[in-house]
Amino acid sequence: MSGIVEGKVALVTGAGSGIGRASALTFAREGARVIVSDLDVEGGAETLDAIRKAGGEASFIQADVSRENDVANLIQQTVATFDRLDCAHNNAGLSGSPSALHEMTVDEWQRVLAVNLTGVFLCLKHEIPKMLVQGGGAIVNTSSGAGVLGTPGLAHYCASKHAVLGLTKTAALENAQTGVRVNAVCPGAVDTPMLRAAMAGSQEIEKMVLRSQPTGRFGTPEEIAEAAVWLCSERSSFVTGESLLVDGGSVAR
Ligand code: NAD
C-alpha cells in the first residue's frame, strides 16, 4: 500500500527534536522525500539517521527560521535537492522564559516572537511562491493550545501562537484558488524536550500538569505528526484555513 504523501517532497522545520522529528519520520514513512531542517545540527543529524535507518530518503539543511537569508536559502536548497516542494511543516519554536507580562523584558518578548511568529511568516513567504509555480502544495504551521487560550506566565508564547493562527487563515484565504492549502495544528501538552524543560524535572509540576489533562496523560509527538501529515496530504483536500486541536480535549473543557 502506498503512503498518503507518496512521491511528495516535504520540508519540516524544528525537525531535530520532539514534534518536528516525529513529523519528519511520519512524512518519510508515508512516502515523502524529506528535508529535515533545524538550527541544531546534532539533532538534525539524529533525525536524518532515524529516517534513513527506517528506509526513508531525507537530507538535512541547517537554518535559523528567524533569519530571512537562512529561510530563503533553505527553500532554494530544498528545491535544488529534491526538485520541488509539496508539503511544509513550519514547526520550529521556543517556549520562552516564563514571567508575568508586566515583568517580561522586551528582549525576551522579541526573542520568542522572532522564532515563533516571524519564523512562520518567513517560511510561508518563501514556500508559497515555489508552490504557486508548481500549481499547488500544502502547508501546516504549528500553533498550540496557547494559540486559542490565554496562558498566564507566557504572554510572548501565547501571543505568538495566536498570531500564527491569523497568519494561517490569511495565507489560506489568499491562496484559496491557487491550489496551496494552509492549515495549523494546535498541540496540547506533548511529551517533548520542550515540555520536559518547562517542567524543570519537578515531579510536583508534572503531576499538576497531568491532573489538568482530561485524558490524564501527555500527547506523544507521533500523535501530532499524524495530524500534520494528514493536513499536508490529499486526504484533506477541502481543508484550508483550519486550526486543528490535537490536545486530548484540553480546550474542550
Ligand atoms: P522541541 O524543543 O523538542 O523542538 C523544537 C525544535 O525547534 C528544536 O529542535 C530546536 O532546535 C528548533 N528550533 C528552535 N529555534 C529554532 C530556530 N530559530 N530555527 C530553527 N529551529 C529552531 O519542542 P517541541 O515540543 O517539539 O515543539 C515543536 C513545536 O510545537 C513548537 O512550535 C512548539 O511551540 C509547539 N508546541 C509544543 C507543545 C508541547 O507540549 N511540546 C505544545 C504546543 C505547541
Side-chain angles (χ1 to χ4, degrees):
M1 242 174 60
S2 63
I4 64 171
V5 286
E6 197 70 43
K8 306 276 190 201
V9 173
L11 162 66
V12 182
T13 69
S17 177
I19 292 168
R21 173 173 291 166
S23 173
L25 275 153
T26 305
F27 269 113
R29 186 198 72 204
E30 292 296 327
R33 288 175 292 163
V34 182
I35 295 291
V36 170
S37 183
D38 206 291
L39 188 55
D40 172 18
V41 178
E42 256 178 54
E46 283 171 22
T47 302
L48 200 57
D49 198 41
I51 292 176
R52 289 179 176 160
K53 280 198 174 122
E57 193 177 345
S59 190
F60 174 73
I61 300 172
Q62 188 188 21
D64 177 343
V65 295
S66 69
R67 300 167 70 96
E68 182 159 23
N69 283 347
D70 277 26
V71 176
N73 177 62
L74 169 63
I75 306 305
Q76 293 289 354
Q77 290 303 312
T78 296
V79 175
T81 306
F82 287 140
D83 296 327
R84 46 190 299 116
L85 174 63
D86 302 295
C87 310
H89 184 183
N90 300 325
N91 167 78
L94 302 172
S95 61
S97 306
S99 74
L101 188 154
H102 66 277
E103 288 168 351
M104 191 170 284
T105 65
V106 172
D107 280 354
E108 181 58 9
W109 165 265
Q110 283 172 343
R111 186 175 76 90
V112 172
L113 272 282
V115 178
N116 292 9
L117 179 55
T118 305
V120 173
F121 161 72
L122 290 173
C123 287
L124 288 165
K125 178 180 169 183
H126 289 274
E127 288 157 0
I128 289 169
K130 295 289 176 208
M131 292 181 173
L132 290 176
V133 169
Q134 290 168 195
I139 301 173
V140 60
N141 299 318
T142 301
S143 174
S144 172
V148 291
L149 294 176
T151 316
L154 288 177
H156 41 13
Y157 184 79
C158 179
S160 71
K161 293 300 185 179
H162 273 70
V164 164
L165 299 186
L167 279 181
T168 300
K169 290 174 199 170
T170 300
L173 292 175
E174 286 182 2
N175 288 284
Q177 297 191 11
T178 68
V180 178
R181 295 183 301 109
V182 187
N183 292 291
V185 67
C186 299
V190 180
D191 199 348
T192 67
M194 181 187 284
L195 182 69
R196 291 280 153 197
M199 295 187 302
S202 156
Q203 298 231 324
E204 286 282 282
I205 300 178
E206 181 171 346
K207 279 190 193 142
M208 196 186 74
V209 180
L210 280 172
R211 271 199 299 273
S212 75
Q213 300 297 302
T215 56
R217 70 169 178 91
F218 298 131
T220 66
E222 292 72 23
E223 288 172 312
I224 311 305
E226 290 293 339
V229 173
W230 177 76
L231 283 169
C232 282
S233 78
E234 276 154 30
R235 298 267 176 94
S236 62
S237 52
F238 201 48
V239 183
T240 195
E242 172 63 6
S243 312
L244 180 58
L245 282 160
V246 186
D247 71 341
S250 293
V251 172
R253 284 168 306 163

